[in-house]
Amino acid sequence: MPKDSGIGASPKRREDVRFLTGNGNYTDDINLHGQAYAAFARSNVANGKINSVDTSAAEAMPGVLAVFTGEDFVEVGGNPAGWYIESRDGTPMKEPKRPVLAHGKVRHVGDAYAAVIAETYEQARDAVEALEVDIDELPAVASSVAALAEGAPLVHDEIETNLCFDWGWIEDNRAATDEAIKNAPHVTTLELVNNRLVPNAMEPRASTANYNPGTGDYTLYTTSQNPHLTRLLICAFVMGIPENKLTVIAPDVGGGFGSKIYHYGEEALVLAAAKKLGRPVKWTADRSESFLTDAHGRDHVTTIELATETDGTFIAIRTSTLANVGAYLSNFSTCVPTFLHGTLMAGNYAVPNVYVNLKAVITNTAPVDAYRGAGRPEATYSIERVIDKCARELGIDPIAIRRKNFIKPDQFPYTTPVGLQYDTGDYDAVMDKLEEIGDLAGFPARRAESEANGKIRGLGINSYIEACGIAPSNLVGVLGARVGLYDAATVRVNATGTLAVMVGAHSHGQGHETAFPQVVAEMLGIDEGLIEIVHGDTSKIPFGMGTYGSRSLAVCGSAVVRATEKIIKKATKIAAHMMEASEADIEFKDGQFSVTGTDKSVAFGEVAFKAYVPHDFPAEELEPGLEETAFYDPANFTYPAGAYACEVEVDPDTGKVSIERFSAADDFGNIINPMIVDGQVHGGIGQGIGQALLEGCVYDEDGQLLSASYMDYAMPRADDLPFYAVDHSCQTPCTHNPLGVKGCGEAGAIGSPPAVVNAVVDALQSAGKDVTHIDMPLSPGRVWAAMNG
Amino acid sequence: MTKVSMTVNGTAASGEVEGRTLLSSFLREQLGLTGTHVGCDTSQCGACVVHVDGKAVKSCTMLAAEADGAEVATIEGQAAADGSLNAIQAAFQEHHGLQCGFCTPGMVMSAAALLKDNPKPSEQDVREYLEGNLCRCTGYHNIVKSIMAASGQDVSALAVE
Ligand code: FES
Ligand code: FES
């Protein structure tokens, strides 16, 4: 019988009631007394020299309180890149300054160069229109290829190149990999584009700042996945506000997917404006601003080579990639295409030689940074597409070629040639599970049926691995990270036996308020309902690094476990004192402390009460109170893995692809709440299918964003997607965190795009078309052209 | 500025609005009914769906002045007075039909309009009806399931067709 509480149960989410009744509290729902409104003036050219911004007419508009331009922020710092990368030749990456408001030059469409604060939102918007600006449009570069061309216009004149860095991983592998490829009996080569995407959390970004001139304290309400990181960036790098004078509150946040990790200039602007005006200042993006300024994702152009024996045994993988990082280096932009991408380039396979070359390229487009999966979808897509092509060339079944090269269960821990040590996995077991839940044996019959209906049908297989639970601080420090990536939790037991658990992770859809109490309740043998999760407020929670990279449970959940263990330890002491026994004789089980060999026991709640009413505590030996904090720094990444199957039907007359079946078998290690895990996988698959079939962020060559609204950017809708069959019963627990969990948030987005594209290529091949690759998104036009080309 | 009056969730409400004030802004900013969300500026996302005189409308696409005299229902009025969830809300919780919750009010209000006209919708009916409601979190799987469950259908076997 399934459990109804604790680890492994699926209690209904407690956060749902407020969201279902309109009682959520998102940033834009918060209104402060006397607030004014900010609106931004944004560049409509991709590259331009700002000659002047005349604010006088705008200042005279009704309701206008202040106008800011780039000039006002030349004295403050810039928004930094959080990860230092060195080029192959040992030179440091190029780091152009990213100011709060553009000064001297605008560098992408949407780059803000001025802001107006007014009594109402409409007045602020009207006044932006009244700004008189003189900007000379300059030639621009929008693609990574164009930006590296001889004589290309420069995005930042002062760094004298558009090449941010040229990175090799691992440089010592290079010669051996080149040699292996040169001598290999078979080499499959594929050129592919990993299409640029816009994260599109449904809640647009918003920030409201308040300043108390009496105390010098600032408060910032903002749409963030990591309030402490945002505070650190604002205080230490951008504004110079003492960290103890800024509270950052990320209340309910309507999705993030990476786009709300980073600090953005609008946050600094509202803080500066609130101080200047002595009034709260609010800004909420409209969707057009989100398209123009939220950090985008992906945008890789890759050549991958896979060298094999004629029997399909892998010998070497070599890739060469251009990654577009946009006009400025967003906080994680330099780590995503390198350490979250290059290090995954061995996939699930025992391949002896791997070498990755990656050039990060600065262009006149919005910054590009982590978007669900972040680097790992790009790695998986390249590997799994080239394997499929190779299998076809060698006449080997796509599942067989993968199985042949899988790292086997007895090879773990397994160190890859690209520097990761996978702790556990069983990729054949996951593939077996996929064959079962996807009824792959029934595919030929389904194909025949489709053909009878005038459609062509294809089956696409993928197997993926990701590195999650980001990340061991000592390792990432060596690799260039400028932050640590631990997390933290405080467990506070109240006198009456209820608990508040303050966590550094932030929940914006992941259900932490439900899942974290399951862990604590299981450990303490108490009712989940007694436990409240507190997150998102730097004045209440310990310093944690927030939520991204499928890290909440693996890293912050581990901190919760460690803090709860400390609680048990302290409570054991108190219980021993209460029962006049020695600590060594106390046993804790199912919420009861008992003295071994006696019938004496006290309940957890009684101990809690005693902790706060310590009338007879021996002062020297026992402190009152029951509250503990733990910081947890993971020993390694975690390695979720899985196998996905997609079946598509292609309409031969129109090229339209429809997803007929989609099956996902994942190994996430241990599972705390299966219902939430299913939901995470569903959402990731929806985004992955979106990338494969629908979504494409398109700039023209002059850097104009052509896909800047939901009219032009095809978001997946309910009738584009099927029900998915998902399974996570294959579980090889993580060996190095106390819960044995691996993380599940990004899997769907990583595993699904290659499965979809492999399926479409399979369909076209089955119809006798000589098509080996189509770049995403596989719109009807592209598929039709490939079929008829 | 003109004065508008309407009934919102059964209670009389009125205020002064500019000609250009949208119904969504009036509800959120003047009446403080922030359960109605705004997710786009092109009438595409459906986070703002409310009912006006019994019909589902995108409140970002209607002027407050146009709703003068109308009966408006929002997400805040859907649960019973004692706080218990209605059948659609309860099904969304039961089947994990929401994650971040931002699209949820619009989804619930759209679902209510669908089920009024089509009390036992097929999977395809639900998917097509939700054309105008975007969700970025759930991949729609559990939303479709929740709505079918709310209509009294057995969803335990729903997976691949
Ligand atoms: S806000 Fe109304 S449709 Fe998007
Ligand atoms: S639940 Fe987040 S957008 Fe639907």
Side-chain angles (χ1 to χ4, degrees), chain A residues 13 200-203 253-255 257 508-509, chain B residues 97-104 107 134-138 143:
Chain A
R13 295 202 325 169
N200 272 306
M202 292 316 301
E203 178 205 23
V253 172
F257 315 112
H508 34 278
Chain B
L98 64 153
Q99 293 183 21
C100 79
F102 197 79
C103 71
T104 308
M107 289 288 177
L134 294 176
C135 173
R136 194 55 154 171
C137 296
T138 62
I143 291 177

Side-chain angles (χ1 to χ4, degrees), chain A residues 336-397:
Chain A
V336 170
T338 52
F339 291 104
L340 294 180
H341 168 250
T343 55
L344 271 303
M345 208 49 91
N348 314 47
Y349 309 103
V351 49
N353 301 289
V354 183
Y355 176 73
V356 175
N357 175 237
L358 186 129
K359 297 186 176 74
V361 187
I362 298 171
T363 64
N364 292 113
T365 64
V368 180
D369 206 323
Y371 165 60
R372 199 172 197 166
R376 290 148 293 170
E378 295 90 316
T380 302
Y381 184 68
S382 299
I383 298 166
E384 296 296 316
R385 284 291 302 120
V386 80
I387 290 175
D388 236 54
K389 185 169 182 237
C390 169
R392 213 170 277 290
E393 287 170 0
L394 295 175
I396 303 176
D397 173 77

Side-chain angles (χ1 to χ4, degrees), chain A residues 288-335:
Chain A
S288 312
E289 287 181 291
S290 307
F291 272 104
L292 292 170
T293 67
D294 287 3
H296 295 171
R298 320 281 194 255
D299 202 343
H300 283 196
V301 179
T302 293
T303 301
I304 180 163
E305 294 155 288
L306 170 63
T308 62
E309 304 289 358
T310 47
D311 70 354
T313 303
F314 296 171
I315 301 170
I317 292 173
R318 180 169 64 192
T319 73
S320 162
T321 293
L322 300 183
N324 187 340
V325 293
Y328 303 100
L329 300 183
S330 176
N331 303 136
F332 280 125
S333 61
T334 50
C335 126

Side-chain angles (χ1 to χ4, degrees), chain A residues 83 471-481 483-486 633-637:
Chain A
W83 204 296
S473 298
N474 54 0
L475 173 63
V476 298
V478 171
L479 300 178
V483 287
L485 287 165
Y486 49 84
D633 206 324
N636 189 355
F637 290 91

Side-chain angles (χ1 to χ4, degrees), chain A residues 392-453:
Chain A
R392 213 170 277 290
E393 287 170 0
L394 295 175
I396 303 176
D397 173 77
I399 295 180
I401 197 170
R402 288 177 168 86
R403 286 188 184 274
K404 186 179 188 68
N405 290 285
F406 278 158
I407 300 160
K408 300 294 175 208
D410 62 2
Q411 291 178 281
F412 293 96
Y414 182 88
T415 302
T416 72
V418 269
L420 294 179
Q421 191 186 75
Y422 303 165
D423 59 345
T424 50
D426 187 344
Y427 308 142
D428 275 309
V430 178
M431 190 61 88
D432 292 344
K433 182 51 77 176
L434 178 73
E435 296 202 43
E436 176 198 325
I437 63 167
D439 180 29
L440 300 193
F443 173 71
R446 292 190 293 273
R447 170 174 271 175
E449 198 183 317
S450 295
E451 283 169 2
N453 293 327

Side-chain angles (χ1 to χ4, degrees), chain A residues 13 20 26 29 717 723-724, chain B residues 28 89 99-100 131 139 159:
Chain A
R13 295 202 325 169
L20 282 162
Y26 300 88
D29 300 345
R717 291 165 195 267
F723 283 123
Y724 323 106
Chain B
R28 287 182 57 79
Q89 293 169 312
Q99 293 183 21
C100 79
E131 259 286 305

